[in-house]
Amino acid sequence: HGHELYCAGHMLEAAVAYHAVTGDGRLLKVMEKNVELIRSVFGTEEGKLNSYPGHEEIELALMKAYRATGDRKYYELADYFVENRGSRPGFLEEERFLELSGKEKWLGADYHQAHAKIRDQKAAEGHAVRAMYFYTGAADVALEKGDPTLRQALEALWTNVTGRRMYLTGGVGSQGDGERFTLDYDLPNDTCYTETCAAIGLAMWALRMLKLNPDSSYADVMERALYNNVLSGISEDGEHYFYVNPLMLKPDVARYRRDHESVEPERVKWFGCACCPPNVIRTLCGLGGYVYTQREDAVYQHLYLGNSASLRTSKGEASLCCVSEMPWEGRAEITYQGPAGVSLFLRIPAYAENFCIRRNGEKAEFSVEKGYAHLTPAEGDCFQVSFDMPAQYVQANPRVTEDCGRAAVCRGPLVYCAEEADNGTLLNDFIADLSQQPRAEREDSFGGIVALTAEGSRSDYGEWPEDTLYRPAGSARKQASLRLIPYFLWNNRGVGEMLVWMNAR
Ligand SMILES: [Zn+2]
């Protein structure tokens, strides 16, 4: 009902990772026994519990174990858990489990994504981390199963999440109660949940969708989540963490109000429910796993991270080395060593302007397939990728009430924010001037970043006594500017106001 199978799943993932890195299979052996126990308890056979996990996670872990060992029992259990979810009568709606959840509105069957079978689910519902892990595991199963109806169900859910229920930062989960999805276009900036784990889950799901269908729109979302909501989960010193990653903060309100009780005004050392800190760390340690996917002899590079990679193709061993200036500048150099006959697909990010590739210094010709430049490298080829990524204002669909009349600034994959440390308080009094493009500047702060300046205005009312709340409207404004830093770096200079979506006109 709760986190039993979730914990088993994480332990199984750890066992697979430990085996992959060290070659030591002892923990995997322990977890194989654990999976045997689970198989003896759950199933459709007489005397077994015909059910599914309360908190999904083990599905994707079982698929990792299947790929690591080739043993189909792992795949079969994952497939059973994915396909059985939402079957009726609903296991989680039995009286004994309803008592555990207190019959709370926010903790019903949809909280567990058990309100319908996956092919009948059209919108992401319930607990955001559960949902992301469920879709990730389901996509792993779909890839193995080759069942187009499962893939179509996931595509419909993807469209719902990324088209209606996702924050600009790649965060998901609009409400603290139930840590969950709410309604289409309901994306409050200060009371959101946007758990670090949920953004990690979105990136994991995107990676599986890329394996099902290498389309760069999945990589755009994966990069958005990784560079913004995921990185925001950890402090610059690497020792403090956010669980909730809001897009707007007034510290005294966050500390006081009931509807802000999950929002911490600053990163903390640890959490009683300790999922996010180790999750962000294992994600950063495993970041290499998000850079490429491979389909036979076609290699897709999704992220322009500095890296080196070796790969196996049907023509022989090959390697790729990428030296990159991302995310600060749109420049990367990718060198290929290996046999001819391999296809290299380089992502053209949605934000990239004047995208250009040079091959050993000469302008390269390429076809574009689903947002990737298709190249056929020869031994020793060096591809110089370059593109512009000017800072730009973005607006939200007007159905998002909280963002009406507002704009945020993005540059490349990064979302920017204003902080009290640079701009004082009353950030909401600033009105950005959309006719002036934000200015970008290289700076030494935070180990070297690109900071932005937004031009606009602030009120110029003269004296406004604190005990006077209202007075007739006046139009006095004075020219002002805001300094903006990448969102993932916020709250590294003490507690203060923060704002992503600025008033704008
Ligand atoms: Zn978490």
Side-chain angles (χ1 to χ4, degrees):
H1 173 266
H3 292 77
E4 306 87 350
L5 293 172
Y6 164 92
C7 292
H10 271 306
M11 187 66 107
L12 180 56
E13 275 201 80
V16 172
Y18 188 73
H19 179 244
V21 171
T22 65
D24 183 337
R26 282 178 298 165
L27 185 55
L28 198 52
K29 205 80 207 149
V30 172
M31 287 314 296
E32 185 181 5
K33 287 194 275 184
N34 186 255
V35 170
E36 285 301 348
L37 169 68
I38 295 165
R39 271 159 47 89
S40 76
V41 173
F42 294 95
T44 51
E45 297 92 335
E46 186 72 32
K48 288 189 181 178
L49 205 50
N50 187 16
S51 186
Y52 36 81
H55 192 318
E56 305 92 316
E57 207 290 335
I58 198 167
E59 299 87 345
L60 75 97
L62 287 164
M63 290 306 294
K64 283 191 177 179
Y66 167 56
R67 296 209 174 100
T69 64
D71 189 334
R72 280 190 75 78
K73 73 182 172 202
Y74 296 108
Y75 161 67
E76 283 160 10
L77 186 57
D79 182 48
Y80 163 67
F81 280 151
V82 167
E83 295 287 3
N84 197 36
R85 192 162 206 89
S87 58
R88 290 286 178 278
F91 163 78
L92 294 164
E93 289 157 323
E94 288 174 21
E95 200 56 34
R96 56 191 169 140
F97 296 113
L98 282 178
E99 261 162 36
L100 286 171
S101 61
K103 298 181 186 171
E104 245 258 30
K105 173 186 176 182
W106 306 116
L107 304 176
D110 68 340
Y111 169 83
H112 301 273
Q113 298 76 46
H115 54 293
K117 301 291 277 283
I118 189 164
R119 287 174 189 73
D120 299 321
Q121 296 189 20
K122 303 296 174 219
E125 305 294 357
H127 188 267
V129 176
R130 282 171 163 83
M132 293 302 114
Y133 287 1
F134 178 42
Y135 309 151
T136 299
D140 271 332
V141 168
L143 189 62
E144 179 64 26
K145 212 170 182 176
D147 177 346
T149 63
L150 189 51
R151 176 178 148 181
Q152 285 153 12
L154 288 161
E155 286 168 349
L157 289 164
W158 179 269
T159 301
N160 173 255
V161 169
T162 59
R164 299 173 186 228
R165 298 185 173 204
M166 179 184 75
Y167 286 87
L168 185 65
T169 50
V172 284
S174 299
Q175 172 179 296
D177 257 327
E179 309 175 358
R180 58 178 288 155
F181 288 102
T182 54
L183 302 167
D184 289 347
Y185 311 111
D186 180 37
L187 297 165
N189 292 309
D190 55 349
T191 56
C192 50
Y193 205 68
T194 49
E195 183 178 342
T196 303
C197 285
I200 291 170
L202 179 60
M204 296 196 304
W205 181 23
L207 182 65
R208 271 64 171 189
M209 295 307 280
L210 283 167
K211 289 179 183 175
L212 279 166
N213 175 19
D215 183 313
S216 70
S217 61
Y218 296 119
D220 287 328
V221 170
M222 183 171 81
E223 187 184 51
R224 180 184 293 283
L226 287 171
Y227 277 84
N228 297 288
N229 196 130
V230 174
L231 266 190
S232 159
I234 185 166
S235 58
E236 199 192 9
D237 69 12
E239 294 186 6
H240 298 79
Y241 306 91
F242 274 136
Y243 205 105
V244 172
N245 298 272
L247 285 80
M248 171 184 174
L249 183 87
K250 271 187 80 178
D252 49 347
V253 172
R255 284 198 188 96
Y256 185 79
R257 251 168 59 184
R258 170 76 197 266
D259 61 351
H260 285 61
E261 67 186 1
S262 25
V263 180
E264 299 280 355
E266 61 185 320
R267 291 184 187 83
V268 298
K269 285 290 249 185
W270 200 247
F271 297 95
C273 180
C275 50
C276 295
N279 210 358
V280 71
I281 288 166
R282 69 94 174 240
T283 302
L284 296 179
C285 292
L287 200 56
Y290 292 85
V291 179
Y292 302 97
T293 55
Q294 189 178 348
R295 287 187 144 195
E296 293 160 358
D297 287 346
V299 182
Y300 293 80
Q301 182 166 354
H302 308 298
L303 301 175
Y304 292 104
L305 301 177
N307 74 85
S308 57
S310 49
L311 37 128
R312 240 169 269 130
T313 75
S314 69
K315 316 274 186 309
E317 300 280 316
S319 72
L320 285 163
C321 177
C322 176
V323 179
S324 175
E325 292 180 46
M326 282 288 280
W328 310 117
E329 301 300 334
R331 276 194 293 274
E333 257 188 31
I334 295 136
T335 307
Y336 175 82
Q337 303 287 349
V342 170
S343 284
L344 178 61
F345 289 87
L346 298 179
R347 170 170 158 249
I348 306 172
Y351 50 75
E353 296 178 10
N354 304 317
F355 186 89
C356 172
I357 301 177
R358 289 179 174 277
R359 182 183 198 133
N360 306 321
E362 302 287 322
K363 197 168 188 310
E365 296 298 322
F366 55 83
S367 59
V368 177
E369 294 171 32
K370 294 182 189 173
Y372 292 84
H374 183 186
L375 300 154
T376 47
E379 167 77 18
D381 267 355
C382 179
F383 298 100
Q384 292 97 17
V385 178
S386 64
F387 49 87
D388 298 327
M389 43 179 210
Q392 57 175 299
Y393 284 110
V394 292
Q395 289 184 303
N397 187 314
R399 293 173 181 86
V400 183
T401 307
E402 288 81 357
D403 298 342
C404 279
R406 292 178 182 266
V409 181
C410 295
R411 184 173 181 275
L414 299 176
V415 175
Y416 278 71
C417 71
E419 278 204 291
E420 185 178 326
D422 297 309
N423 306 293
T425 57
L426 307 182
L427 297 176
N428 249 318
D429 180 46
F430 180 78
I431 301 178
D433 178 354
L434 297 180
S435 71
Q436 299 190 56
Q437 196 186 348
R439 273 198 325 277
E441 253 169 304
R442 271 314 262 262
E443 289 196 4
D444 294 334
S445 57
F446 300 106
I449 61 166
V450 171
L452 305 177
T453 304
E455 295 297 339
S457 65
R458 280 182 185 260
S459 308
D460 186 14
Y461 292 113
E463 188 65 16
W464 192 313
E466 288 194 28
D467 290 336
T468 304
L469 261 177
Y470 310 109
R471 66 189 204 191
S475 57
R477 310 276 310 166
K478 60 182 175 194
Q479 219 189 349
S481 58
L482 283 190
R483 180 179 187 263
L484 309 176
I485 62 163
Y487 169 77
F488 77 83
L489 286 168
W490 83 279
N491 188 253
N492 278 297
R493 297 171 296 174
V495 178
E497 280 188 27
M498 182 276 290
L499 187 66
V500 169
W501 287 99
M502 300 175 286
N503 284 305
R505 66 168 68 111

